[in-house]
Amino acid sequence: MRAFAIAGGSVTGRAHVATGKPNQDAFAWAAGPGALACVACDGCGSAPHSEVGAQLGARLAAAALLERLTAGDAPSSAALRAAVHAELCATLGELARAMSPSMSGYGSARLARTVEDCFLFTIVAAVVTPAETAILALGDGLLATDGDVVRLGPFPNNEPPYLGYALLEAAPPPPRLQLQLQRVVPTAALRTLLIGTDGAAELAAARPLDDLWRDGRCFANPDVLRRRLTVLRREGAGQPGLIVDDTTLVVVTRREGN
């Protein structure tokens, strides 16, 4: 998708820095001649190693989405969502089982512990073709198209649905554990889109986000957006930094002349 430039950045929140926790967010994108898929994932904050699932999930989801787009699925189609869900569950399920050696009477309990420790994460994804752009999500986060910002969540008791729970389901998972279509826009009318984790949603409630990429530097240097988020996290002049939770943003903008 040469008509669009893309940038992403992720920073560990102050709360995690203070306790020595790693950044449990992740992002990835995959692009082909006629399609683009970008993904932001947020690992469960109370799980000890959810950054593992977030990193794997972001990469696997971006690749699976691009594969389906290349095969001809429309960004907004139910077929795309179903195929990507099945692909993610198959791959992550295989990994989770490999990480949970079976012992007599403990197999299912060990698998559940592995999933709960490593594979609970939310997903916000944007998929773009020349005809249409769709934003999909499972759990909380942030989305925006041309300045129209929507926060996803929060969920009761701060417990969003996680795709990882579908790995423990014997039957087809309920709709709440599947990717949901959040927005569809014609690509010809799109100038800028944004996806992010719930930390980005909290940041957007405190300040405008578009000045983070408006000068275009983050599209030339892949580390600029992360650096700017890091500046917002810092405390100074007796004021706390704005970024408390891990925060991840992915921005897609139309190139000049396209």
Side-chain angles (χ1 to χ4, degrees):
M1 292 293 288
R2 295 192 179 101
F4 292 94
I6 185 168
S10 185
V11 66
T12 310
R14 286 191 294 113
H16 278 190
V17 171
T19 58
K21 277 190 172 184
N23 186 348
Q24 294 175 310
D25 283 2
F27 68 92
W29 62 74
L36 168 67
C38 51
V39 181
C41 292
D42 180 3
C44 174
S46 61
H49 305 295
S50 64
E51 68 276 5
V52 174
Q55 291 285 351
L56 288 169
R59 287 163 173 75
L60 291 170
L65 286 164
L66 181 64
E67 181 179 10
R68 297 312 310 168
L69 294 172
T70 302
D73 286 352
S76 61
S77 68
L80 177 139
R81 299 194 298 278
V84 169
H85 178 90
E87 176 70 18
L88 289 175
C89 286
T91 303
L92 293 173
E94 183 177 353
L95 288 170
R97 288 187 292 274
M99 293 166 62
S100 309
S102 178
M103 295 177 63
S104 178
Y106 293 95
S108 60
R110 284 176 173 266
L111 177 61
R113 179 63 179 269
T114 297
V115 169
E116 290 167 3
D117 283 354
C118 301
F119 291 101
L120 300 183
F121 58 89
T122 62
I123 303 172
V124 184
V127 284
V128 185
T129 65
E132 71 176 14
T133 294
I135 299 180
L136 320 172
L138 175 55
D140 50 17
L142 177 77
L143 66 88
T145 52
D146 294 324
D148 183 9
V149 180
V150 171
R151 178 171 184 171
L152 305 171
F155 290 83
N157 302 317
N158 195 28
E159 295 178 353
Y162 295 116
L163 179 136
Y165 289 136
L167 306 181
L168 305 175
E169 295 276 343
R176 67 181 182 83
L177 297 182
Q178 301 182 41
L179 284 166
Q180 303 295 319
L181 181 64
Q182 302 292 332
R183 180 173 293 180
V184 184
V185 297
T187 301
L190 181 70
R191 303 303 302 175
T192 303
L193 72 80
L194 166 72
I195 59 171
T197 58
D198 65 340
E202 293 173 2
L203 181 61
R207 71 183 303 280
L209 297 180
D210 58 357
D211 62 342
L212 292 173
W213 61 81
R214 190 163 41 199
D215 63 5
R217 293 180 185 177
C218 64
F219 301 106
N221 183 331
D223 201 37
V224 166
L225 189 52
R226 182 197 64 81
R227 293 175 185 172
R228 291 177 175 176
L229 291 172
T230 301
V231 169
L232 293 177
R233 184 187 66 193
R234 292 175 184 157
E235 299 181 358
Q239 298 296 318
L242 291 176
I243 294 178
V244 178
D245 193 9
D246 298 340
T247 297
T248 297
L249 292 169
V250 181
V251 185
V252 179
T253 188
R254 188 176 293 275
R255 298 182 190 275
E256 292 297 326
N258 287 280

